[in-house]
Amino acid sequence: MPFITYLSGLLTAQMLSDDQLISGVEIRCEEKGRCPSTCHLCRRPGKEQLSPTPVLLEINRVIPLYTLIQDNGTKEAFKSALMSSYWCSGKGDVIDDWCRCDLSAFDASGLPNCSPLPQPVLRLSPSVEPSSTVVSLEWVDVQPAIGTKVSDYILQHKKVDEYTDTDLYTGEFLSFADDLLSGLGTSCVAAGRSHGEVPEVNIYSVIFKCLEPDGLYKFTLYAVDTRGRHSELSTVTLRTACPLVDDNKAEEIADKIYNLYNGYTSGKEQQTAYNTLMEVSASMLFRVQHHYNSHYEKFGDFVWRSEDELGPRKAHLILRRLERVSSHCSSLLRSPYIQSRVDTVPYLFCRSEEVRPAGMVWYSILKDTKITCEEKMVSMARNTYGESKGRYYLTLIKCLSFLNIFL
């Protein structure tokens, strides 16, 4: 039957009257629009008026199920069973805000495991866009209100490339409590903390400030509780942004190399060209090659001219450095127009006010640690890639801007 007919039947039978009130249940009806004419279930027999559209009733009060039971003994037993099932996997009893596990709820290491340790979910911080050297990661604190207590989070990071054996190279492990919040770790990594949509939700974050540009990194996170248990791993793999490129300098170097290659090249000029190309980074060398071929390819491309002027051995030493540039950055470095910029973003740097005793292993509750936070600005260097505005036209615009002339 239609829902409105069911409610009408309840009201007719006076099941919701004051005399026979159902404990814990309240139904309120209101009309919000009408049923569409195509719905045959909404039509009442003998009436042309359409019935009100069924609307999901709003919940005006949330109460535990066991409060609906009148008998005190049954109520307490039901409450204990529900609390055990929800917080202790049904294998222990809730005592205050922790679980007392049954004798059968111990793992192979002898640790109680009736209260599950949730897996943290590592993610990129939405407020900090990754740059060529800076990446910020965050996760929500997984400590439940009742049960297991999180003592620490262990973060592992390592660079992954074709030259590294990922099984042998484990990277660097950092303790969020002992290394980052204490300030004893490297200055290239810092800890932060913020709150979610509700103040009860803690969000921890870590910012890496000294990563290599155009590098593939793997970050792994797991939680540790006060009994020494480890949660499942959460992993994020990302590639940092392409290295900063001074496009004007790359164009100047391309012009310089062309002038050195042009005409008869003496031994001194050959050495000058070789030293100049070896001193720049691989990404700058890629950009120099792009500008050289854009302006002077009719006189021979960059590879052929380098082999012809410097010889195969020196040219090979120069050109093999281009292999270090990833395919992603290679495509971006071919853009007609590149401009570097430096942005500043706020970040909440946090440190612990407490000092843990050295030389002993003890597990405190991370959430209870007193933390002082200070907002600081972080510089983020990036490249902007776009369409060409014309070599000489761009130079003219820069001069006009410098002279503060507006047309």
Side-chain angles (χ1 to χ4, degrees):
M1 64 176 68
F3 183 62
I4 190 66
T5 305
Y6 170 71
L7 291 180
S8 300
L10 290 179
L11 294 173
T12 303
Q14 295 183 351
M15 294 184 64
L16 299 181
S17 64
D18 295 337
D19 298 334
Q20 299 178 359
L21 183 63
I22 300 177
S23 177
V25 177
E26 179 184 352
I27 297 180
R28 293 181 294 107
C29 299
E30 58 180 312
E31 182 176 335
K32 292 186 177 180
R34 299 185 179 277
C35 286
S37 58
T38 56
C39 178
H40 66 282
L41 295 177
C42 297
R43 298 177 183 175
R44 296 184 182 181
K47 292 187 177 181
E48 297 181 358
Q49 177 122 11
L50 299 178
S51 61
T53 302
V55 177
L56 179 65
L57 300 179
E58 299 176 358
I59 300 175
N60 63 347
R61 185 175 55 157
V62 178
I63 57 175
L65 286 174
Y66 55 79
T67 60
L68 303 179
I69 301 175
Q70 302 300 323
D71 180 70
N72 289 334
T74 307
K75 180 186 295 186
E76 289 300 320
F78 191 27
K79 175 182 178 181
S80 177
L82 281 178
M83 297 285 283
S84 174
S85 176
Y86 188 82
W87 297 110
C88 308
S89 305
K91 301 177 182 179
D93 299 322
V94 174
I95 307 297
D96 295 330
D97 63 345
W98 58 281
C99 288
R100 182 179 62 191
C101 298
D102 298 337
L103 294 178
S104 60
F106 285 78
D107 58 17
S109 303
L111 297 175
N113 63 349
C114 66
S115 178
L117 178 57
Q119 176 192 21
V121 179
L122 190 63
R123 66 192 182 193
L124 281 173
S125 300
S127 58
V128 181
E129 180 186 352
S131 70
S132 56
T133 58
V134 179
V135 169
S136 178
L137 302 170
E138 68 178 24
W139 65 93
V140 177
D141 186 19
V142 296
Q143 177 172 305
I146 296 176
T148 185
K149 305 301 178 186
V150 175
S151 172
D152 199 1
Y153 291 95
I154 305 300
L155 188 67
Q156 177 198 18
H157 69 99
K158 62 180 179 180
K159 186 179 180 183
V160 182
D161 53 40
E162 64 272 19
Y163 308 106
T164 304
D165 190 334
T166 56
D167 296 329
L168 296 178
Y169 174 62
T170 59
E172 182 180 5
F173 287 85
L174 294 171
S175 164
F176 186 76
D178 293 335
D179 296 328
L180 300 180
L181 286 181
S182 64
L184 299 178
T186 172
S187 60
C188 289
V189 187
R193 188 178 73 171
S194 59
H195 294 287
E197 296 180 356
V198 292
E200 292 77 13
V201 177
N202 279 332
I203 299 179
Y204 296 111
S205 63
V206 174
I207 187 168
F208 295 85
K209 299 181 288 184
C210 305
L211 300 179
E212 295 184 17
D214 194 19
L216 185 63
Y217 285 88
K218 182 179 180 180
F219 302 90
T220 305
L221 177 75
Y222 63 87
V224 181
D225 69 1
T226 53
R227 296 187 174 102
R229 289 187 304 163
H230 293 181
S231 71
E232 294 185 9
L233 301 177
S234 177
T235 302
V236 170
T237 302
L238 59 87
R239 181 176 292 278
T240 52
C242 302
L244 279 185
V245 171
D246 187 341
D247 202 31
N248 292 330
K249 184 177 180 181
E251 195 169 13
E252 292 174 0
I253 294 176
D255 294 338
K256 177 181 178 181
I257 297 301
Y258 168 75
N259 292 328
L260 291 173
Y261 286 173
N262 189 25
Y264 170 75
T265 305
S266 64
K268 181 179 179 180
E269 291 172 331
Q270 289 179 354
Q271 190 63 35
T272 300
Y274 175 77
N275 292 341
T276 301
L277 296 175
M278 290 295 290
E279 288 172 358
V280 299
S281 63
S283 56
M284 276 289 287
L285 179 61
F286 198 98
R287 193 61 182 171
V288 169
Q289 180 187 27
H290 170 79
H291 281 301
Y292 188 97
N293 291 336
S294 298
H295 303 314
Y296 310 114
E297 191 173 16
K298 60 184 178 181
F299 304 107
D301 69 355
F302 180 77
V303 174
W304 180 82
R305 290 289 290 159
S306 296
E307 292 176 346
D308 183 57
E309 297 294 338
L310 304 180
R313 188 183 69 84
K314 287 186 176 181
H316 174 71
L317 293 176
I318 294 172
L319 298 175
R320 74 175 183 179
R321 299 172 60 227
L322 297 175
E323 299 174 0
R324 303 177 187 174
V325 184
S326 67
S327 58
H328 171 68
C329 287
S330 297
S331 60
L332 290 177
L333 290 173
R334 293 189 183 95
S335 301
Y337 173 69
I338 299 178
Q339 183 179 14
S340 59
R341 75 180 197 273
V342 178
D343 300 331
T344 54
V345 295
Y347 186 81
L348 203 61
F349 290 87
C350 299
R351 298 189 68 170
S352 172
E353 299 178 4
E354 303 171 355
V355 179
R356 295 194 179 191
M360 63 177 294
V361 178
W362 69 297
Y363 295 100
S364 63
I365 300 176
L366 180 62
K367 200 170 186 177
D368 296 342
T369 303
K370 295 181 179 179
I371 297 176
T372 302
C373 298
E374 179 184 2
E375 185 176 273
K376 297 181 180 180
M377 303 302 292
V378 179
S379 298
M380 311 281 285
R382 298 186 182 90
N383 291 327
T384 301
Y385 308 92
E387 298 298 327
S388 175
K389 297 182 180 179
R391 185 183 180 190
Y392 298 103
Y393 175 73
L394 187 60
T395 304
L396 176 61
I397 291 297
K398 290 181 179 179
C399 292
L400 292 176
S401 300
F402 178 76
L403 295 175
N404 207 12
I405 298 177
F406 300 95
L407 301 179

